[in-house]
Amino acid sequence: IMFPIRDENGKTIAFSGRILNTDGEDAKYLNSPETPIFHKSQVLYNLDKARASIRKTRQVILMEGFIDVLAANRAGVYNAVATMGTSLTAQHITKLKRLVQQVTVCYDGDNAGFEAAKRAAQMLHDEQLKVEVSVLPDKLDPDEYIRINGVEVFKDQIIEKPYAYIAFMMMHAKRGKNFQFENDTLQYIQEVLETLKGNTSPTERDLYIRQIAADTNISPEAISAQLRKLSADTVKEQK
């Protein structure tokens, strides 16, 4: 399948080919070579067509692949864009910030997608954007999920019910950990507190500290004390 790649004004600047039969050793995607008008790190697929919906909803759904965006469009989600087989870049974020203050990351549900979603969410959060993450189950990508469960379920259960940034980071930190083991418990607490020490309100901190305490059986007071120490150490380092 050949996909025309357009700039944000709708002008075709490159092409990308996808091999449907991926049994061989060939690359899944093959893009036009980079040129003065085409740089993968700067292109957001479908941005030209999604722009009106993005302005209306004041939100972007960020995906990984072309076919996921087309599947989202079939599901009535018209504010979806995708990176071109690359990680999210600073140039992508600059383009997004010109349009919105809120981004929902909807990447594949496998391990690679989970890690990529974490990186993208952190980058967007660091740029003061409001970030939420839609998590797909069973290692499915958005296109597969829609084909299996239908468009309404995708919209209602995935797009309309994303995880808040910190809730997603807690879920990520919890993966693969067994709280019967001290090291896993301490590592989980440390990872979540590193996220909490940033731009969170007292109410958010209280909410998530209680959740950490429930997960680990460590007292909220001890976790709060650890967070204060971590925040104080960060301030010293910055000085």
Side-chain angles (χ1 to χ4, degrees):
I1 300 178
M2 293 293 289
F3 294 90
I5 307 302
R6 299 177 299 271
D7 64 16
E8 51 201 277
N9 298 313
K11 294 184 177 179
T12 301
I13 56 174
F15 292 90
S16 181
R18 171 174 164 153
I19 295 175
L20 289 182
N21 179 8
T22 55
D23 295 339
E25 296 181 2
D26 295 321
K28 190 174 179 181
Y29 283 96
L30 184 63
N31 299 317
S32 296
E34 298 221 338
T35 66
I37 61 168
F38 170 59
H39 299 281
K40 278 196 305 183
S41 62
Q42 298 176 17
V43 173
L44 287 167
Y45 177 75
N46 199 51
L47 180 57
D48 61 312
K49 291 188 178 296
R51 188 192 294 270
S53 180
I54 289 168
R55 286 191 171 135
K56 183 178 179 182
T57 60
R58 298 183 179 179
Q59 180 184 13
V60 166
I61 310 297
L62 181 65
M63 295 181 155
E64 289 187 280
F66 307 147
I67 289 179
D68 295 329
V69 168
L70 297 178
N73 284 179
R74 287 202 311 275
V77 178
Y78 299 112
N79 54 336
V81 301
T83 53
M84 279 201 59
T86 63
S87 298
L88 188 69
T89 66
Q91 294 98 315
H92 290 142
I93 294 175
T94 297
K95 286 192 175 185
L96 292 174
K97 285 182 77 172
R98 291 191 196 125
L99 295 169
V100 291
Q101 285 299 308
Q102 182 171 339
V103 179
T104 298
V105 178
C106 184
Y107 282 6
D108 295 355
D110 59 10
N111 288 334
F114 222 92
E115 294 301 325
K118 180 193 174 187
R119 288 193 300 272
Q122 282 180 312
M123 289 177 69
L124 292 161
H125 183 262
D126 288 346
E127 289 296 322
Q128 313 304 314
L129 286 159
K130 181 184 177 185
V131 189
E132 296 177 325
V133 182
S134 291
V135 176
L136 288 153
D138 305 322
K139 300 185 177 181
L140 297 173
D141 63 34
D143 177 48
E144 291 167 334
Y145 184 92
I146 290 167
R147 281 191 277 119
I148 293 168
N149 297 285
V151 297
E152 293 302 323
V153 176
F154 175 71
K155 285 175 70 174
D156 294 344
Q157 300 300 319
I158 303 300
I159 297 300
E160 299 296 335
K161 294 182 179 176
Y163 286 79
Y165 172 69
I166 294 172
F168 172 76
M169 296 299 282
M170 289 180 73
M171 180 199 293
H172 185 281
K174 200 183 293 186
R175 294 177 91 222
K177 293 192 173 62
N178 183 341
F179 295 143
Q180 301 298 316
F181 298 115
E182 181 181 324
N183 282 347
D184 280 7
T185 301
L186 294 175
Q187 186 180 349
Y188 170 67
I189 293 171
Q190 181 70 18
E191 285 182 30
V192 178
L193 292 186
E194 286 285 350
T195 303
L196 283 180
K197 74 179 182 183
N199 303 318
T200 52
S201 69
T203 307
E204 284 179 309
R205 287 195 291 273
D206 183 64
L207 172 68
Y208 291 117
I209 284 169
R210 289 173 187 274
Q211 197 167 325
I212 298 168
D215 288 339
T216 62
N217 286 323
I218 305 293
S219 74
E221 293 76 19
I223 296 168
S224 294
Q226 177 70 9
L227 178 58
R228 286 194 296 272
K229 181 180 183 303
L230 198 60
S231 299
D233 289 345
T234 301
V235 171
K236 287 179 186 175
E237 288 172 9
Q238 289 172 347
K239 289 180 179 179

